[in-house]
């Protein structure tokens, strides 16, 4: 009887230990599971924050690009506007100087209002408008600046012609084929590159100043 009682005590103790151990394992398992769930949601939260931060950064960068494009477009518009104003100002100065010589008769070797040749007229115009001294002769002037094609001609370029075997002529380009010069037939006047005579004797165009 005593033996059975001891067995019962031992079994009771074992069952108590087993129940306690099971409770501990369950608690530990639940704790680990909750910890994993917490880490999972923490990771998702951090990933979500990273995505939001990236989107914010992309939006800011896009706004910066748009602002830069707007600034460039505005600056380009101002540059073009300033360029047109400058060209208009130079054109007015050229015509103001031209009207002071308009109708002056052509005279080879002349350089006054009594008579003036083509290279002297160009020389005086450049000095008055651009404050630049040019050589007195056409052959000296043709060595200056850089050569440009006819379709690239701009206001102020020099237009050269070969009018004879050893004869050269020069004028100042305006626009749309027009150029001012001192021609032997009309004196100081405006001619056009598309005229048969000038088209036949056209030589080259040179740019001395940037406008």
């Amino acid at each position: 009887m005593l033996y059975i009682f001891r067995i019962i005590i031992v079994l009771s103790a074992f069952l108590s230990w087993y129940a306690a151990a099971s409770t501990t394992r369950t608690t530990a398992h639940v704790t680990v599971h909750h910890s994993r769930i917490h880490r999972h949601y923490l990771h998702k939260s951090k990933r979500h924050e990273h995505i939001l931060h990236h989107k914010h950064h992309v939006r800011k960068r896009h706004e910066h690009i748009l602002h830069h494009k707007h600034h460039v477009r505005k600056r380009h518009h101002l540059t073009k506007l300033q360029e047109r104003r400058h060209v208009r100002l130079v054109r007015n100065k050229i015509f103001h100087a031209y009207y002071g010589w308009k109708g002056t008769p052509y005279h080879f070797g002349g350089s006054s209002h009594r008579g003036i040749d083509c290279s002297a007229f160009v020389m005086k115009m450049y000095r008055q408008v651009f404050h630049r001294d040019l050589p007195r002769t056409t052959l000296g002037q043709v060595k200056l600046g850089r050569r440009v094609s006819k379709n690239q001609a701009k206001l102020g370029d020099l237009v050269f012609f070969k009018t004879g075997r050893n004869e050269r002529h020069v004028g100042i380009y305006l626009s749309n084929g027009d150029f001012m010069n001192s021609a032997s037939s009309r004196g100081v006047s405006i001619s056009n590159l598309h005229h048969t005579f000038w088209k036949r004797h056209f030589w080259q165009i040179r740019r001395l100043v940037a406008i």
Side-chain angles (χ1 to χ4, degrees):
M1 188 70 181
L2 182 61
Y3 176 73
I4 293 172
F5 182 72
R6 286 179 178 176
I7 290 174
I8 291 171
I9 291 174
V10 170
L11 284 173
S12 297
F14 173 76
L15 289 173
S16 297
W17 173 82
Y18 182 78
S22 297
T23 302
T24 302
R25 281 198 302 273
T26 302
T27 303
H29 178 72
V30 170
T31 303
V32 170
H33 180 65
H34 285 176
S35 178
R36 287 176 179 172
I37 292 174
H38 177 71
R39 286 199 302 270
H40 173 70
Y41 281 103
L42 184 63
H43 176 70
K44 286 186 70 175
S45 177
K46 284 186 175 294
R47 189 161 176 258
H48 183 65
E49 289 177 2
H50 176 72
I51 292 171
L52 289 177
H53 177 73
H54 177 68
K55 286 183 177 179
H56 176 73
H57 178 71
V58 170
R59 188 164 59 248
K60 283 289 184 183
R61 191 176 172 204
H62 183 64
E63 288 175 359
H64 175 72
I65 291 171
L66 289 177
H67 177 73
H68 177 69
K69 285 183 177 180
H70 174 72
H71 179 69
V72 170
R73 194 160 51 242
K74 186 177 179 181
R75 187 173 60 187
H76 178 71
H77 176 70
L78 287 175
T79 302
K80 284 293 183 182
L81 185 62
Q82 290 169 349
E83 183 180 334
R84 286 195 295 269
R85 285 176 178 171
H86 178 66
V87 170
R88 189 161 56 246
L89 177 64
V90 173
R91 185 179 179 85
N92 290 340
K93 289 176 67 176
I94 287 177
F95 272 95
H96 178 74
Y98 164 76
Y99 287 126
W101 289 94
K102 182 181 179 182
T104 300
Y106 177 86
H107 179 68
F108 181 75
S111 59
S112 70
H113 283 88
R114 291 192 300 273
I116 191 169
D117 63 21
C118 61
S119 58
F121 171 68
V122 168
M123 181 187 71
K124 287 183 175 292
M125 288 289 292
Y126 254 70
R127 182 180 296 163
Q128 184 174 344
V129 177
F130 301 111
H131 309 290
R132 179 168 177 177
D133 290 325
L134 302 186
R136 173 63 181 80
T137 65
T138 304
L139 290 178
Q141 293 171 2
V142 78
K143 296 175 182 177
L144 303 176
R146 64 183 179 89
R147 190 167 184 166
V148 297
S149 62
K150 190 184 292 187
N151 60 1
Q152 292 179 325
K154 290 184 178 181
L155 179 70
D157 292 344
L158 296 189
V159 191
F160 294 91
F161 303 87
K162 289 182 177 181
T163 53
R165 188 169 185 177
N166 295 309
E167 296 175 359
R168 303 292 181 265
H169 185 72
V170 62
I172 300 174
Y173 188 82
L174 299 172
S175 62
N176 301 318
D178 289 337
F179 65 96
M180 58 179 62
N181 66 129
S182 180
S184 58
S185 59
R186 299 167 57 200
V188 176
S189 56
I190 293 178
S191 307
N192 192 280
L193 290 174
H194 303 302
H195 187 278
T196 305
F197 176 82
W198 299 115
K199 187 185 292 186
R200 184 168 66 247
H201 295 289
F202 175 77
W203 181 16
Q204 62 176 291
I205 296 176
R206 302 192 72 84
R207 182 161 299 155
L208 280 64
V209 293
I211 300 176

